[in-house]
Amino acid sequence: MDPLHQFQINPILQIIIGGFDVSFSNSALFMVIAVGLIYALLVHGMKGRALVPGRLQSLAEMFYEFVANMVRENAGHDARPYFPFVFSVFMFVLFGNMIGMIPYTFTFTSHIIVTFALAATVFVFVTILALVKHGLHFFTFFMPHGAPIALAPILIPIEVISYLMRPVSLSIRLFANMMAGHTMLKVFAGFTVLMISGLGAVGFLAGLVPVAINIALTGFEFLVAFLQAYVFTILTCLYIRDALELH
């Protein structure tokens, strides 16, 4: 049982355009499922807008308030127009992470190409936002305020490299945590099956220990899935604040 087999991308619908393979894969399928579930929660959950909310409405309102507070506290009041973007990023990453916790599903956030595309989208968005808001004054961001001009040849390249590394660090953090967590779960689960099947009744009793570990690891992985969506969104808010305030 290869623990990395669960990350293999398989084409479902073969599509070749201009010599490029743009097939509809299992990764794309679960992205569509994630968007569909988000749509169902937000649109159908808020359809009635009851004074006493039901379960779906309460969950939708909880997510809304959670992200709204995150934007307000970390990006500032001036970032309110960009709440829909931040909210979309959070929900997409969160649902992608959580769907991957269901057996026989696919965790598309465990692929660097997906997480880098998300991070690059955030990076391009905040860069365009800063250029539109500040114009050429945006480039002063790469020269720390109050620093001696003589240090500019050293500080500016460091700041530029640090800025360009944002999408790299943002994408690797999410991809690495999701991939490592699912690989660990697969290894421990396989170890449990081998113990139970190979040692009979003794193996069954001995297998209870790794089963308990698997349960604990699964709970921990659910926590990691939420925290990674939270961290990704927090950093997005901080980048938006940098773009608005240039500090």
Side-chain angles (χ1 to χ4, degrees):
M1 298 289 289
D2 182 6
L4 299 180
H5 180 74
Q6 59 183 311
F7 305 114
Q8 183 175 342
I9 295 180
N10 299 311
I12 298 174
L13 180 62
Q14 195 77 28
I15 304 174
I16 305 295
I17 299 178
F20 292 96
D21 187 354
V22 291
S23 300
F24 187 78
S25 64
N26 53 346
S27 179
L29 172 63
F30 281 98
M31 289 185 202
V32 173
I33 292 173
V35 172
L37 290 175
I38 295 169
Y39 177 87
L41 172 64
L42 298 178
V43 175
H44 293 287
M46 297 299 297
K47 203 170 187 179
R49 297 185 182 179
L51 188 61
V52 180
R55 293 179 181 177
L56 284 180
Q57 183 176 335
S58 296
L59 187 60
E61 290 177 353
M62 181 184 70
F63 281 134
Y64 182 94
E65 287 296 327
F66 179 76
V67 180
N69 289 332
M70 200 186 309
V71 172
R72 185 164 49 249
E73 293 172 4
N74 295 279
H77 291 283
D78 292 340
R80 283 182 297 177
Y82 315 110
F83 167 79
F85 176 76
V86 178
F87 185 74
S88 299
V89 168
F90 174 78
M91 295 298 286
F92 186 71
V93 174
L94 178 65
F95 272 66
N97 292 350
M98 291 300 181
I99 287 174
M101 294 300 301
I102 302 172
Y104 302 106
T105 58
F106 186 85
T107 314
F108 57 81
T109 50
S110 65
H111 280 266
I112 186 67
I113 187 63
V114 176
T115 59
F116 184 77
L118 285 169
T121 300
V122 172
F123 177 78
V124 171
F125 173 79
V126 297
T127 302
I128 293 175
L129 174 62
L131 286 170
V132 169
K133 183 173 179 62
H134 302 285
L136 295 178
H137 185 65
F138 161 71
F139 294 100
T140 61
F141 180 75
F142 302 111
M143 182 61 186
H145 181 70
I149 298 298
L151 294 179
I154 299 175
L155 293 177
I156 291 177
I158 292 175
E159 291 294 327
V160 170
I161 293 173
S162 175
Y163 186 79
L164 294 177
M165 288 298 293
R166 283 181 173 185
V168 177
S169 61
L170 197 59
S171 59
I172 290 179
R173 182 183 295 106
L174 176 56
F175 139 77
N177 277 278
M178 297 312 299
M179 187 175 188
H182 284 278
T183 302
M184 181 176 60
L185 284 176
K186 182 73 171 181
V187 170
F188 272 92
F191 177 66
T192 304
V193 173
L194 289 175
M195 286 191 65
I196 294 175
S197 62
L199 298 176
V202 177
F204 178 79
L205 294 175
L208 293 178
V209 175
V211 166
I213 294 175
N214 281 328
I215 293 173
L217 288 177
T218 301
F220 178 73
E221 190 63 13
F222 271 109
L223 177 62
V224 170
F226 173 80
L227 285 178
Q228 287 307 309
Y230 174 76
V231 170
F232 196 98
T233 311
I234 279 286
L235 291 174
T236 299
C237 291
L238 294 176
Y239 295 160
I240 290 175
R241 187 174 195 130
D242 286 345
L244 294 175
E245 300 179 4
L246 289 185
H247 66 74

